[in-house]
Amino acid sequence: MSAPAADVTAPQPTAAAGLHLLATRHGLARLGDDGTADLLDLPYPDVAALLQAGAGLAPAREARVRDRVPLDDLAGDVVAPLAHTRSVWGVGLNYHCKARLTGRSLPEQPVLYLKGASAGCGPDAVVPLPTSVSAQPDYEGEVALVIGARMHHTPAESAWAHVAAITAANDCTARDVMKASANPTLAKSFPGFGALGASVLDLAAVADRDAIPVRTTVNGELRQQASTADLIFGVPELLAWITRYVVLEPGDVVLTGTPAGTGQDRGCFLAPGDLVEVTVGGVLPLRTRFRAETPDPAPASPAGAVPTA
C-alpha cells in the first residue's frame, strides 16, 4: 500500500450496530470503531455499485474479510465511495437558518436540480476553481442521502425505509454563474464541484436520523454548523416530492440543502489553496483542496498524422 498522503480521522462510535463503509483502491472496506478497516472480498468498486446490485448493504455485512489493516494505512488509497452513482439530486434553500439570514421567503415547494456526473469527486480531491468564468466559487456543506431501494410515488411515511445510508457532500456553486444563467445545474457542475464521502454510514448507525449534524470549516475556521432538524422540507417530505416526478434507484444520491454560513453569506469566496472540510455525524470528514485553474493540454496528434498548412 502507498505511504499515507493525509491524515484520516478514525470514526467515532456509532449509535447502533450498522455498517460504515469506505471505498479504496483495494476494494470496499468495512470500518470498525477501533480504528481498523476490514478489506472485503466483494467485486464492487464502490458503495453505489454495491447498492445497484439489488441486495442493499447486506453483501457488505456478510462478506469474507481479506485483510484487516489500521485505518491510517489506507490514507492515500481512499477513493470516491459513490463514483458509480447514476444521479445526484440537490435542493435549493432548504434550511430555516439560511432563509432567516438572507431574508428570503420560505419556498412553497422544493427547488430541485441535477448535478452533472462530471462534477463528481471523492475525498482529498484537489479541485480547480473555474476562474475563467466565475469570481464567486462557493462551498456548501450538506448531508447526503444514499438511496437503497427504488422509489417512485413513495409516500413520506415510507421514505426512510428506502434510504440505505448517509454521507457528506460539498455541493460547490459558482454564485455569479448561477445569477447570470438562472441555471443551478450549470453553476454546480464544474469538475470537482460534487465531492462526496469520505465514508458511507448505514442509516441504522445514525444517532438521530431527524437531526443529522453537518459542520463545515474553511482552512480550519468554522463556517457552517447545523442539523437536518432545521430543514424546511424534511427528508421524508423531500423524497416524497422528488419521487412524484422521477424514479430514484439504488445508489442514487439526494442532497438535503446547505445551512447558513456559505461564502455567499459572508461575502468571501473560495481561493486557490483553500481547504474545505465537511463533517456529517458519524461519517469520516470530507476534505477538498482548491487550486488555480489551468488549461487542459492540447490532445496529442495521432501517430503518423501529417500537419496541415
Side-chain angles (χ1 to χ4, degrees):
M1 295 180 186
S2 63
D7 174 57
V8 178
T9 306
Q12 297 300 309
T14 52
L19 283 173
H20 194 177
L21 297 175
L22 198 68
T24 80
R25 293 187 178 91
H26 315 288
L28 286 175
R30 189 171 57 211
L31 305 185
D33 292 338
D34 59 354
T36 63
D38 291 340
L39 296 173
L40 303 177
D41 187 16
L42 287 172
Y44 309 108
D46 65 14
V47 177
L50 168 67
L51 291 169
Q52 288 162 3
L57 297 176
R61 291 190 180 92
E62 301 160 1
R64 183 180 71 86
V65 175
R66 294 188 288 111
D67 194 12
R68 175 169 291 174
V69 298
L71 181 56
D72 288 345
D73 288 358
L74 292 175
D77 290 328
V78 176
V79 299
L82 294 157
H84 286 77
T85 292
R86 187 183 67 98
S87 64
V88 177
W89 285 91
V91 56
L93 190 59
N94 199 31
Y95 272 84
H96 286 95
C97 61
K98 180 82 167 172
R100 285 194 301 270
L101 181 67
T102 60
R104 295 163 65 184
S105 300
L106 298 185
E108 296 182 1
Q109 61 189 40
V111 179
L112 302 173
Y113 56 86
L114 274 169
K115 288 185 79 83
S118 60
C121 70
D124 296 312
V126 180
V127 172
L129 295 170
T131 50
S132 59
V133 292
S134 174
Q136 296 181 340
D138 202 357
Y139 56 88
E140 293 189 24
E142 304 199 16
V143 176
L145 310 171
V146 185
I147 303 303
R150 186 179 188 272
M151 302 184 73
H152 192 214
H153 295 296
T154 303
E157 57 269 24
S158 303
W160 276 118
H162 294 75
V163 177
I166 64 167
T167 192
N170 187 359
D171 179 27
C172 292
T173 307
R175 299 294 183 186
D176 43 2
V177 173
M178 174 89 84
K179 182 177 180 180
S181 67
N183 189 325
T185 294
L186 193 65
K188 292 171 174 286
S189 295
F190 291 97
F193 269 34
L196 294 169
S199 59
V200 174
L201 184 66
D202 186 352
L203 188 64
V206 174
D208 183 353
R209 68 186 189 183
D210 296 316
I212 303 169
V214 57
R215 184 177 186 271
T216 307
T217 64
V218 179
N219 302 324
E221 177 189 356
L222 180 63
R223 298 288 182 87
Q224 295 180 288
Q225 188 161 355
S227 87
T228 55
D230 191 42
L231 292 180
I232 296 168
F233 302 101
V235 168
E237 185 179 1
L238 177 62
L239 293 177
W241 180 270
I242 294 172
T243 62
R244 290 181 191 177
Y245 305 97
V246 303
V247 175
L248 293 177
E249 297 283 4
D252 287 355
V253 172
V254 175
L255 310 181
T256 53
T258 198
T262 62
Q264 179 187 47
D265 300 334
R266 297 167 175 268
C268 179
F269 298 100
L270 291 170
D274 282 349
L275 176 65
V276 176
E277 180 175 294
V278 180
T279 307
V280 165
V283 175
L284 295 182
L286 172 64
R287 301 186 182 101
T288 309
R289 177 79 67 179
F290 293 87
R291 63 168 175 83
E293 182 180 47
T294 54
D296 286 344
S301 298
V306 178
T308 57

